[in-house]
Amino acid sequence: MSYYEIQGGRALFGSVAIHGAKNSVLPILAACLLAPGQSVIENCPELSDVSATLDILRLLGCRVDREGDTVAVDASTLYRWDIPEHLMREMRSSVIFLGALLARLGKAELSYPGGCELGPRPIDLHLAALRALGAGITEEQGALCCECRRGGLQGRKLCLSIPSVGATENVMLAACRCPGLTTIVGAAREPEIVDLQEFLRCLGVPISGAGTSTVTIQGGTQLHPARYRVMGDRIAAATYLCGAAAAGGEVEVTGFAPDTLTAVLSCLEEAGCVIHTELDRAVLTSTGPLRGIDPVRTAPYPGFPTDAQAILMAALAGGEGATLFVENIFDSRYRHVDELRRMGANIQVAGRAAMVTGAGRLHGAAVRSTDLRGGAALVVAALGAEGTTQIHQLNHIRRGYQTLDKSLRALGAEIQEVP
Ligand code: EPZ
């Protein structure tokens, strides 16, 4: 299995254009099922999670063509409503197809998406909301069988007890088929939800409120295919910025909206970085060891994003001073800590809290990715560490980062993929 080999301690300089957002393009690709005809998605990143999603679309009967970062999905020939277990296991977030298939075909069958490296990943909110819209859902031997009850789906007011990103997206998609008005109270407010809303509007869906905690969808309208450009990946942008913060230097990241990453950028400034932002780019300058900062508590948007927790922790672990992290979203999102400790990090974990005491400088080691963002965190740590780091289990990183090594080399990092 190939691994990254990184010679740390080289400052980074230059500019990197961020790829399209994984957590936006996945629901948008599922939403292509809603409208018969060919939709075209631009700025579609080359990620293994995207490939898995395109495989599902093909299996369901869609014609899918890809040319660079542009993907054409023709959903006219959609005829299947069941997603086999091996594809569900490959990517648990395929649960997003539930709402889209119910909306277009009135039924869906998929195996229960299991937990993942971040711990149990329940979907009780998804199922409760879809049942409330009129879906009959049975769970048999790990398979979910969903069908519109007699009378079909019907719009109504729904309340999510947790602002779940996936549940909000699933309801938005299912509601497109529901005659009448669906109101989601307690919706997630992430920028990726706004991106999905903008695509649905292009399909002809009367929808509004995304980005706030109340989203309304007027369902039952005839939809048509559309062309849409996906937003830039704000978490990938955070990764490059934290890498520059850890290694030192000056790096510009383009193709994303810094105002979707305010919580992370303010932490980096508090740690001693200088950051200049414009509408679609940020420039970070880091000239000295990073300082400890006020407690970092992950929270639903616009709070500090859980996906950036490991990445920022890795940058601060090689600095000076102490920072308390509190992971409030997932049950076990500190699996990267043991691997950072192998690089000399001083991190004490107690339940949801992790106290990071800057080690002054980490040192290279042989480490392995434990999950997508945990793997990215190891790359950030290695860029600032003294000596050579080997990072194994690259499959996790490939789920969410397009040409990470090549982009970092262009910034002056010494990183190679060793076959
Ligand atoms: C999305 O996952 C993202 N994935 C995650 O990014 C991200 O970490 C997460 O949102 C939070 O921002 C995609 O968009 C593909 P949730 P999702 O439903 O939708 C609990 C990455 O690294 N919950 O908002 O699965 C759940 O257990 C990935 O790119 C229920 O209890 O997250 C968690 O504690 C990792 N019941 C919390 O809500 C439910 O029915 C938030 O989960 C659903 C969720």
Side-chain angles (χ1 to χ4, degrees):
M1 299 278 274
S2 66
Y3 59 90
Y4 282 154
E5 184 159 280
I6 298 171
Q7 300 295 337
R10 280 143 183 82
L12 305 181
F13 292 92
S15 182
V16 55
I18 277 300
H19 54 72
K22 169 181 82 81
N23 292 348
S24 179
V25 76
L26 297 183
I28 285 174
L29 286 170
C32 290
L33 294 181
L34 297 175
Q38 185 184 80
S39 288
V40 177
I41 308 303
E42 296 172 349
N43 203 24
C44 182
E46 300 204 24
L47 307 170
S48 57
D49 271 9
V50 171
S51 302
T53 301
L54 299 183
D55 288 347
I56 290 174
L57 288 170
R58 290 187 183 97
L59 175 127
L60 296 174
C62 299
R63 182 186 158 86
V64 177
D65 296 298
R66 168 159 219 160
E67 203 171 310
D69 73 355
T70 300
V71 168
V73 178
D74 186 340
S76 314
T77 49
L78 172 71
Y79 72 95
R80 276 182 70 165
W81 59 85
D82 62 314
I83 299 177
E85 177 161 7
H86 75 277
L87 287 180
M88 279 303 293
R89 284 203 176 281
E90 197 174 327
M91 192 180 65
R92 64 165 304 285
S93 47
S94 311
V95 69
I96 191 61
F97 279 98
L98 208 45
L101 285 168
L102 276 174
R104 176 75 189 281
L105 297 179
K107 49 188 169 182
E109 269 179 44
L110 42 91
S111 64
Y112 218 91
C116 71
E117 306 84 9
L118 307 184
R121 301 290 295 276
I123 58 168
D124 55 310
L125 299 176
H126 298 239
L127 302 184
L130 295 174
R131 285 185 172 117
L133 289 176
I137 302 177
T138 55
E139 302 164 47
E140 293 152 12
Q141 285 108 30
L144 287 171
C145 301
C146 314
E147 192 144 11
C148 298
R149 286 200 295 266
R150 202 187 313 279
L153 300 179
Q154 184 57 45
R156 54 168 294 180
K157 180 181 270 193
L158 299 166
C159 186
L160 292 178
S161 56
I162 297 173
S164 155
V165 172
T168 302
E169 292 166 343
N170 244 331
V171 175
M172 285 164 71
L173 297 183
C176 293
R177 160 93 183 242
C178 299
L181 189 68
T182 296
T183 302
I184 308 171
V185 177
R189 298 166 52 189
E190 272 70 3
E192 293 76 17
I193 305 270
V194 178
D195 219 24
L196 177 60
Q197 168 180 276
E198 294 316 304
F199 177 60
L200 292 175
R201 279 179 171 168
C202 291
L203 294 179
V205 180
I207 178 172
S208 61
T212 75
S213 55
T214 303
V215 178
T216 56
I217 306 104
Q218 184 68 43
T221 50
Q222 192 59 39
L223 304 182
H224 51 77
R227 174 181 285 266
Y228 189 75
R229 182 175 180 78
V230 172
M231 66 181 271
D233 193 313
R234 60 194 178 101
I235 304 301
T239 307
Y240 285 97
L241 293 169
C242 285
E250 183 168 283
V251 167
E252 176 190 59
V253 180
T254 64
F256 84 107
D259 67 3
T260 63
L261 207 58
T262 309
V264 177
L265 299 183
S266 60
C267 287
L268 287 169
E269 285 177 324
E270 191 184 342
C273 298
V274 174
I275 299 178
H276 168 72
T277 61
E278 293 175 26
L279 208 54
D280 65 346
R281 67 193 60 217
V283 181
L284 179 142
T285 307
S286 174
T287 52
L290 298 178
R291 300 190 292 262
I293 62 175
D294 287 345
V296 178
R297 297 178 177 85
T298 66
Y301 192 86
F304 189 94
T306 175
D307 293 348
Q309 175 254 105
I311 295 159
L312 179 65
M313 181 185 287
L316 295 179
E320 296 170 350
T323 301
L324 172 68
F325 283 79
V326 184
E327 173 54 58
N328 293 308
I329 305 294
F330 288 110
D331 294 336
S332 64
R333 202 165 198 175
Y334 287 138
R335 298 180 66 213
H336 50 281
V337 168
D338 281 344
E339 299 304 306
L340 288 173
R341 284 177 179 145
R342 294 166 66 90
M343 298 176 70
N346 178 351
I347 305 171
Q348 304 305 319
V349 174
R352 289 187 174 275
M355 175 56 84
V356 179
T357 306
R361 191 85 186 269
L362 299 182
H363 58 73
V367 292
R368 63 180 184 83
S369 299
T370 52
D371 53 85
L372 166 55
R373 307 303 176 184
L378 296 176
V379 173
V380 167
L383 291 169
E386 189 80 47
T388 306
T389 299
Q390 293 181 355
I391 301 176
H392 298 268
Q393 310 275 27
L394 296 183
N395 55 304
H396 291 294
I397 296 176
R398 285 196 233 286
R399 288 188 47 221
Y401 292 90
Q402 179 177 297
T403 65
L404 182 60
D405 52 344
K406 184 177 164 209
S407 304
L408 286 171
R409 270 197 302 277
L411 296 173
E414 269 203 59
I415 175 172
Q416 294 298 333
E417 181 171 346
V418 179

